[in-house]
Amino acid sequence: MEKNLSILEKVIGYKFHNKHLLMQAMTHSSYANEKKLGKLGCNERLEFLGDAVLELISSDFLFATYPGIPEGELTKKRASMVCEPSLAYCARQFGLPEYLFLGKGEDMTGGRNRDSIVSDATEALLGAIYLDGGFANAKEFVLKFILNDMEHKQLFYDSKTILQEIVQENGRQTVEYQLVKEEGPDHNKSFTVNALVNGKIMGAGFGHTKKAAEQAAAYEAIRKMKQ
């Protein structure tokens, strides 16, 4: 375990003084229950703290980056940047799911692929960094792993909305999403979806939820249409 987490420290570029905080940040409630660590043995309290730290850092970032944008637009931007799928996507980019401590049942039923579990752990990790190394280290982590490459991420997360806008601007018909394939057991399904514009397939996407597959298909369609 220790060895595992020391690799994670290298990946994120932050070395913990208190290793217990890092261990707790990676501990899901299913593992805490299985190992009888009690209610306080999992990452839920750290997630609560990390959520607040993330909101402050992302608000500060947006306020400085977009001086001409009104409050309502800033709120919308922040919501799309720090939403569950967005955080899970960011976490997967640096391999966080493989360091999670999950109960056997949770692990076997695809817990490592679940956006809710992965995004909660990302917030818990941020809370742990904040407690261990202060605000500056927490901010550095967020800027490096969550608020990086914002244009690409926003395009990916708002792709269904953006595709709809492009299609309407060009006076075409609405976009349709067609479920092509549904595979796997109930607890760990995967979906393949086509995005159709004017009845023509413009993009295909894959995901562990229908919504994620539709977003991926819309993203492909936007890329094709922009070319």
Side-chain angles (χ1 to χ4, degrees):
M1 276 179 196
E2 285 292 327
K3 181 169 169 273
N4 242 355
L5 295 181
S6 67
I7 297 168
L8 177 59
E9 286 179 311
K10 281 187 185 132
V11 169
I12 63 171
Y14 179 76
K15 202 167 173 54
F16 277 80
H17 304 287
N18 180 354
K19 304 291 181 194
H20 174 71
L21 278 172
L22 175 57
M23 172 77 190
Q24 191 169 4
M26 293 297 102
T27 302
H28 185 250
S29 55
S30 61
Y31 183 88
N33 292 340
E34 208 172 84
K35 299 288 179 188
K36 302 198 167 27
L37 301 174
K39 265 201 179 305
L40 303 179
C42 71
N43 62 10
E44 287 169 2
R45 276 172 56 87
L46 285 172
E47 178 219 323
F48 163 79
L49 178 63
D51 177 57
V53 175
L54 179 59
E55 186 159 313
L56 175 57
I57 293 169
S58 53
S59 302
D60 177 58
F61 172 82
L62 288 169
F63 189 84
T65 310
Y66 302 102
I69 289 182
E71 177 266 343
E73 285 298 306
L74 289 174
T75 303
K76 258 198 245 170
K77 262 188 190 298
R78 184 180 65 200
S80 75
M81 275 161 45
V82 299
C83 66
E84 198 176 90
S86 178
L87 285 182
Y89 175 81
C90 295
R92 288 187 186 108
Q93 297 272 291
F94 67 90
L96 181 137
E98 67 184 274
Y99 301 100
L100 289 172
F101 297 113
L102 300 174
K104 283 198 185 90
E106 189 64 68
D107 210 358
M108 282 168 68
T109 55
R112 257 168 237 282
N113 292 324
R114 213 160 284 143
D115 281 2
S116 56
I117 289 177
V118 177
S119 73
D120 287 353
T122 309
E123 289 182 334
L125 178 59
L126 174 60
I129 292 170
Y130 171 73
L131 283 180
D132 191 71
F135 188 75
N137 283 303
K139 186 174 180 178
E140 197 176 315
F141 170 79
V142 172
L143 294 177
K144 190 173 172 185
F145 294 105
I146 298 170
L147 300 180
N148 62 330
D149 198 11
M150 277 317 302
E151 264 177 57
H152 171 83
K153 282 177 187 161
Q154 200 163 0
L155 173 59
F156 188 79
Y157 287 105
D158 299 338
S159 53
K160 281 178 76 174
T161 311
I162 293 166
L163 180 58
Q164 192 67 49
E165 284 166 1
I166 292 170
V167 167
Q168 282 169 348
E169 268 172 33
N170 295 338
R172 294 183 186 145
Q173 291 169 6
T174 52
V175 183
E176 292 171 277
Y177 294 94
Q178 183 184 66
L179 182 63
V180 179
K181 207 162 46 176
E182 190 174 321
E183 293 175 299
D186 281 349
H187 60 256
N188 196 18
K189 276 201 183 303
S190 62
F191 301 87
T192 305
V193 168
N194 283 338
L196 288 81
V197 178
N198 269 359
K200 186 183 170 193
I201 295 171
M202 292 301 286
F206 172 86
H208 286 286
T209 64
K210 250 187 244 176
K211 192 181 170 189
E214 287 173 0
Q215 290 283 25
Y219 180 65
E220 277 304 307
I222 293 165
R223 284 178 59 178
K224 203 177 259 187
M225 288 166 82
K226 284 194 168 176
Q227 280 166 7

